[in-house]
Amino acid sequence: MPFRLNAADPDFASRFDNFLDAKREGSIDVEEAVRVILARVRSEGDDALIDLTRRFDSLELTPDTLRISPEEIAQATAGTDPETMSALRLAHERILRHHERQKPVDDLYTDSIGATLGGRWTPIRSVGLYVPGGAASYPSSVLMNAVPAKVAGVSRIAMVVPARAGELNPLVLAAAQLAGVEEIYRIGGAQAVAALAFGTRTIAPVSKIVGPGNAYVATAKRQVFGTVGIDMIAGPSEVLIIADQDNNPEWLAADLLAQAEHDAAAQSILITDSPPLAAAVEDALERQLRRLPRQETARASWEEFGAIILVDDLMQQAPELTNRIAPEHLEIATDQPEALFALINDAGAVFLGRHTPEAIGDYVGGSNHVLPTSRSARFSSGLSVLDFMKRTSILKLTPESLRALAPAAIELARVEGLDAHGRSVAVRLNL
Amino acid sequence: MPFRLNAADPDFASRFDNFLDAKREGSIDVEEAVRVILARVRSEGDDALIDLTRRFDSLELTPDTLRISPEEIAQATAGTDPETMSALRLAHERILRHHERQKPVDDLYTDSIGATLGGRWTPIRSVGLYVPGGAASYPSSVLMNAVPAKVAGVSRIAMVVPARAGELNPLVLAAAQLAGVEEIYRIGGAQAVAALAFGTRTIAPVSKIVGPGNAYVATAKRQVFGTVGIDMIAGPSEVLIIADQDNNPEWLAADLLAQAEHDAAAQSILITDSPPLAAAVEDALERQLRRLPRQETARASWEEFGAIILVDDLMQQAPELTNRIAPEHLEIATDQPEALFALINDAGAVFLGRHTPEAIGDYVGGSNHVLPTSRSARFSSGLSVLDFMKRTSILKLTPESLRALAPAAIELARVEGLDAHGRSVAVRLNL
C-alpha cells in the first residue's frame, strides 16, 4: 500500500519527515570487493581484466577480442528493425539539436585598470562511457551520454558494456554508431571502471567516466574519483506529479507506473488538492497495473514507496513539499504550470502541462534523461555539455595594472604569512 | 635536488612518465576513523560535536557557544588593521565583479514542432563552507568560496572554522563579514563536515559543502558525497612556468618559490628552451630561498618535487607536456603567450605574460584561486558561480507536438521493454 499523507493531518510534518527519510536502497557494502578488483586491474592490466571477465561474465576474451570490431558494430546497425532505427535517429537528432544550445561561451574582457580576465572552455580530451548489460542495457542511455560528449568536442569516447556469456544488446551498438562512438569494449563491472581509470595495455586511460551501473560500478566510480572525474552516482529514479482536479486519472496513473516499472526501488508520488482525483488515480493505477508486463516490479515500487499527498492548496503547499523531495522528474499537470514551477527551486527536470508525459523526455524530447536522483537535485543538475568541458581561468596584467594591484596583494600575502607570494609581486616592481 | 629533464635525452619519455607518476602525498588512511566520527555526529548531534571538539580542538563548547556571535565577528573586523581591511576590500570588490559575469543565462525556446525546451538555473539553497584553522586559515580563501556562492544567490551560507584552544584568525571573521557570511560555527574536522551534512539540533543541514581541509576533512567530504554535494577534493598545489630566454630569472625564481612555500608537497615546474635561463633561475632560486621565512617548506618542496624541463622548441613541445601535467596554475612568460595558450588544453588557470605573477590571482586578480590540483584540470574547472547553482531542464509539449513525437517514443519504450513508458504516451492519444 502506498504512503497516504494529508497536509491537514495534525501529525503531517513528522509523517512527511519519515516519508522523506525512508531508505529506498539496500546499501550492500561492496567497498572491499571493489578495492581488490581495482588494485588487480591496476597492477595486472589486461590479464586481470580477462580473468575477471571470465569469472563474472562467463566470457572468454583475449587482448584482441576485448574490443568490439567495426564489423560487429556495423552488423548490429544493419540488423536493426527500420522502425526502431528511425526512432533512434529522431531521438539522436533531437538530443543533438538541444544540446548544441548548451555550449558555453568564452568570456575575455579588460577591466578599468587594464587587467585582462576571462575563462576559456575546452573539451575533456577523453571520456569513458559505462553502459550496463542485461535488461538495463538501454540504447537511449547511450545517446543521452554520448551526444553531449560529442557536442562538447570530446575527441575520444571509450565505451564499455558487459557481455554476459557473449550476449550484447545490438541496439546499444547501433545507438553508439549513430552517436559516433567507435571504441567499444565488451567488459563491465568494477573491472571495466578500473581499466578506464588506470588504463591497460589495450585500453588507454580516460579523464572522466560517466554512465549508470550497479552497486559495483557505482562504488568503483566513487573509488576512482580524483584519478578521473565522474558524473553523479545514480540512485533509484523518482517522479513527482503535481495535479489539480482537472486531470484524466488514467493519464496520471500511467505516468506513475512508467516510473514504478523501472525498479522496485523507484518512487512515484502524486500531490493533489483533489481527494476524488486521488482516489480515481489509485483505482486507475490498480487496473492498469494488472495489464503491465512489468507488473511485479511496478507493484513492488508503488506499494512500498508510492505516495499520495493531499493538500488544501497547490500553489501554497506544493512548492515547499516539492523542494524537500527535490524530485528527479517533476510533472506539473495544471492549467498554469509555469506559475507553480516559478515557486519551485529543486527538481532535476520539469514536464509542464497535461500533455507532457515524462516518458517523452526519456526518449525523444531532446533534453537529457540523466538526471539527479535521491534528492540530489538540491545541489546538482542533469547531464549536459558542461559535464564534458572544463574552464581555464585567464589573467593577464600589464605593468601598470600589476602596479595598481601590487600593494593589496603584498599586504594580503604578508598577513597570511606567505612572504614568497608577496616577493613574487614585489620583485617585478623593483620594490 | 629538483628533477632535471631534457626532452632531447633518449630516455625522456620514460623519465617524464616517472616524473608524472611520482606521488606527492602520503595517503594516510583515515577512512575508518572518519566513518566513526560521521556516525557519531549523525546519531548524537550536538553532544557528539561538543565532545569531539573537546577532544580534537581542546575547546569546551555548549550548544549556545557553538556559533560565533555577531559581536565577536564585528569585533574582529573593527580590530583589523586599516591597510589589511582595505586590501581585503579591494580583493572582495574585484572577485565580486569578476564572478558576476559568470551567472548562467536561462534558455527557453520552442522548436519547429511546437515543443518547448529549456533549462532554468537556480541557486543551491544552502551551502556549508569549510575554513581550515591554524596556519592555513586564510581570509583570501573565505572570499574565494563565499563570493561566488553569494553571487549565485545562495540564501544560506554556514561557515565552520576550527578554533583550537579557542584561537581564531580574526581576519577570517573579517573576510566572512565582508562577504556577507553571518552564520559561523567554531568547529572543524570530520565532525564539522558531519554536522553540515546531517544537521544537528543547533546546525541545520546544508545541501553542498565546499572548502579545503586536511585528510580528515577531505575524507569526510568524500564519504558524505551523495547526501550533499561537494566541491573538488583539493590535493597539493602546483605551478608550471613556460618561459623563453627573455625572462628575468629573479622573477621566475620568485614565482616558483611562491608555489613551493605553500606545502612540502607543492610542486614548481619550469619548462624552457634556454639552458642558460634554467641555470640562472636555479641560482636565483637558491639565493632567494635563503632569505625566505618559510625556507624549510619551500626547500623541501623544490628539492623533492621541483622540476626543470629543457625542450628544443617551446611551441612544438611545451603544449603536449603541459597537457600531460595539467597544472593547477600555468604561467606563460613569453612575448606571445596567447599563441602558446591556444595550443594547450588542460590547465586550471593561466597567467599570461611576464607581468602576471600567479600570486596576484591568489588575492586580488578577481578570478578564483580554488583550482583543480593534481592533474584534475584534465576534467574539472576552478570554483565558479556554476558550482553554487543547478539547472532544471524543462519540457512542455502541445497536443500536436506530443502526437508528432509519440510513435518514436512508443517504439523505443517497446524495444527497451518498458511498456508502461509507452502506455503513458499512448493513453494521451487514445491509442
Side-chain angles (χ1 to χ4, degrees), chain A residues 83-84 87-88 90-91 94 98 101-102 107 109 111 113 115 117-118 120-125 138-140 171 206-207 222 225-229 232 250-251 254-255 257-258 261-262 291-294 323 331 338 341-342 344-352 354-357 359-367 377-384 386 390-399 402 405 408-409 411-421 423-425 427-428, chain B residues 83-84 87-88 90-91 94 98 101-102 107 109 111 113 115 117-118 120-125 138-140 171 206-207 222 225-229 232 250-251 254-255 257-258 261-262 291-294 323 331 338 341-342 344-352 354-357 359-367 377-384 386 390-399 402 405 408-409 411-421 423-425 427-428:
Chain A
E83 197 180 341
T84 309
L88 280 174
L90 177 71
R94 289 189 59 85
H98 178 66
R101 299 177 67 103
Q102 292 177 344
D107 183 31
Y109 65 98
D111 69 12
I113 63 164
L117 292 96
R120 186 193 67 172
W121 291 90
T122 46
I124 296 174
R125 286 181 293 150
Y138 297 136
S140 60
L171 294 179
V206 300
S207 292
R222 199 187 276 268
F225 172 53
T227 301
V228 296
M232 262 284 131
E250 296 290 340
W251 298 10
D255 295 358
L257 285 175
E261 77 171 339
H262 265 296
R291 301 195 309 259
L292 266 196
R294 294 171 69 102
N323 283 340
E331 289 186 12
E338 287 85 358
F341 179 49
I344 291 167
N345 198 72
D346 299 342
V350 69
F351 303 86
L352 297 171
R354 310 186 202 280
H355 301 280
T356 317
I360 290 286
D362 285 340
Y363 294 119
V364 289
S367 49
R378 290 172 299 134
F379 54 80
S380 61
S381 311
L383 199 70
S384 81
L386 289 181
K390 68 266 181 332
R391 212 186 62 258
T392 300
S393 81
I394 300 169
L395 187 64
K396 183 180 189 182
L397 300 183
T398 56
L402 175 61
L405 296 175
E411 171 65 11
L412 292 176
R414 185 186 68 79
V415 299
E416 291 192 352
L418 297 170
D419 287 68
H421 280 61
R423 291 179 189 203
S424 74
V425 176
V427 70
R428 285 170 163 87
Chain B
E83 196 180 342
T84 310
L88 280 174
L90 178 71
R94 288 189 60 86
H98 177 66
R101 298 177 68 103
Q102 293 177 343
D107 184 30
Y109 64 98
D111 69 12
I113 63 164
L117 291 96
R120 186 194 67 173
W121 291 90
T122 46
I124 296 174
R125 286 181 294 150
Y138 297 136
S140 60
L171 294 179
V206 300
S207 292
R222 199 186 277 269
F225 173 52
T227 301
V228 296
M232 262 284 130
E250 296 290 342
W251 298 10
D255 294 358
L257 285 175
E261 76 172 339
H262 266 295
R291 300 194 311 258
L292 266 196
R294 294 170 70 101
N323 283 340
E331 289 186 12
E338 287 85 357
F341 179 48
I344 291 167
N345 198 73
D346 299 343
V350 69
F351 303 86
L352 297 171
R354 309 187 203 279
H355 301 280
T356 317
I360 291 287
D362 285 340
Y363 294 119
V364 290
S367 48
R378 290 172 298 134
F379 55 80
S380 62
S381 312
L383 199 69
S384 81
L386 289 181
K390 68 267 181 334
R391 211 186 62 260
T392 300
S393 82
I394 301 168
L395 187 64
K396 183 179 188 181
L397 300 183
T398 56
L402 175 60
L405 296 176
E411 171 65 11
L412 292 176
R414 186 188 68 78
V415 298
E416 291 192 352
L418 296 171
D419 287 68
H421 280 61
R423 292 180 189 204
S424 74
V425 176
V427 69
R428 285 171 163 85

Side-chain angles (χ1 to χ4, degrees), chain A residues 18-186:
Chain A
N18 290 341
F19 164 71
L20 272 190
D21 288 346
K23 263 222 184 297
R24 280 155 57 203
E25 234 180 348
S27 51
I28 29 167
D29 188 359
V30 298
E31 289 286 342
E32 193 45 37
V34 167
R35 213 181 301 280
V36 170
I37 293 170
L38 297 188
R40 262 202 71 191
V41 174
R42 189 171 198 169
S43 67
E44 298 164 37
D46 284 342
D47 289 348
L49 206 50
I50 287 168
D51 182 52
L52 292 163
T53 301
R54 183 188 301 119
R55 221 163 84 197
F56 295 130
D57 292 339
S58 311
L59 177 63
E60 191 66 42
L61 294 174
T62 68
D64 288 337
T65 57
L66 272 172
R67 182 163 172 177
I68 299 177
S69 72
E71 295 73 34
E72 203 170 336
I73 299 170
Q75 228 164 31
T77 302
T80 298
D81 182 274
E83 197 180 341
T84 309
M85 207 60 216
S86 109
L88 280 174
R89 273 202 204 92
L90 177 71
H92 177 255
E93 172 63 23
R94 289 189 59 85
I95 297 166
L96 187 63
R97 245 184 293 151
H98 178 66
H99 286 76
E100 275 168 351
R101 299 177 67 103
Q102 292 177 344
K103 282 196 86 163
V105 184
D106 292 350
D107 183 31
L108 197 72
Y109 65 98
T110 301
D111 69 12
S112 56
I113 63 164
T116 299
L117 292 96
R120 186 193 67 172
W121 291 90
T122 46
I124 296 174
R125 286 181 293 150
S126 60
V127 165
L129 165 50
Y130 192 95
V131 177
S137 200
Y138 297 136
S140 60
S141 292
V142 173
L143 296 180
M144 292 292 179
N145 281 278
V147 171
K150 280 283 175 185
V151 170
V154 173
S155 51
R156 174 177 170 240
I157 302 177
M159 179 171 136
V160 295
V161 53
R164 188 169 290 269
E167 286 280 334
L168 275 174
N169 180 353
L171 294 179
V172 156
L173 300 184
Q177 186 166 51
L178 200 53
V181 176
E182 292 163 356
E183 182 182 344
I184 312 177
Y185 303 94
R186 59 186 111 236

Side-chain angles (χ1 to χ4, degrees), chain B residues 274-430:
Chain B
S274 164
L277 180 88
V281 168
E282 228 182 323
D283 287 352
L285 193 147
E286 188 53 47
R287 277 194 311 277
Q288 293 185 23
L289 246 186
R290 288 192 212 113
R291 300 194 311 258
L292 266 196
R294 294 170 70 101
Q295 175 180 173
E296 203 180 329
T297 302
R299 186 180 292 282
S301 157
W302 176 246
E303 293 187 348
E304 194 167 1
F305 301 112
I308 294 179
I309 303 177
L310 283 172
V311 297
D312 284 335
D313 186 314
L314 285 185
M315 290 291 281
Q316 291 294 320
Q317 296 172 285
E320 200 213 315
L321 298 177
T322 303
N323 283 340
R324 294 194 55 200
I325 294 167
E328 181 190 12
H329 306 103
L330 170 65
E331 289 186 12
I332 307 183
T334 64
D335 277 335
Q336 304 290 339
E338 287 85 357
L340 236 166
F341 179 48
L343 302 175
I344 291 167
N345 198 73
D346 299 343
V350 69
F351 303 86
L352 297 171
R354 309 187 203 279
H355 301 280
T356 317
E358 186 244 295
I360 291 287
D362 285 340
Y363 294 119
V364 290
S367 48
N368 209 292
H369 80 196
V370 181
L371 294 164
T373 57
S374 311
R375 304 188 63 220
S376 62
R378 290 172 298 134
F379 55 80
S380 62
S381 312
L383 199 69
S384 81
V385 171
L386 289 181
D387 292 301
F388 297 98
M389 303 188 78
K390 68 267 181 334
R391 211 186 62 260
T392 300
S393 82
I394 301 168
L395 187 64
K396 183 179 188 181
L397 300 183
T398 56
E400 296 70 36
S401 54
L402 175 60
R403 195 166 292 275
L405 296 176
I410 292 168
E411 171 65 11
L412 292 176
R414 186 188 68 78
V415 298
E416 291 192 352
L418 296 171
D419 287 68
H421 280 61
R423 292 180 189 204
S424 74
V425 176
V427 69
R428 285 171 163 85
L429 307 175
N430 297 319

Side-chain angles (χ1 to χ4, degrees), chain B residues 31-44:
Chain B
E31 290 286 342
E32 193 45 37
V34 167
R35 212 180 302 280
V36 170
I37 292 170
L38 296 188
R40 262 202 72 190
V41 174
R42 190 170 198 170
S43 67
E44 299 164 38

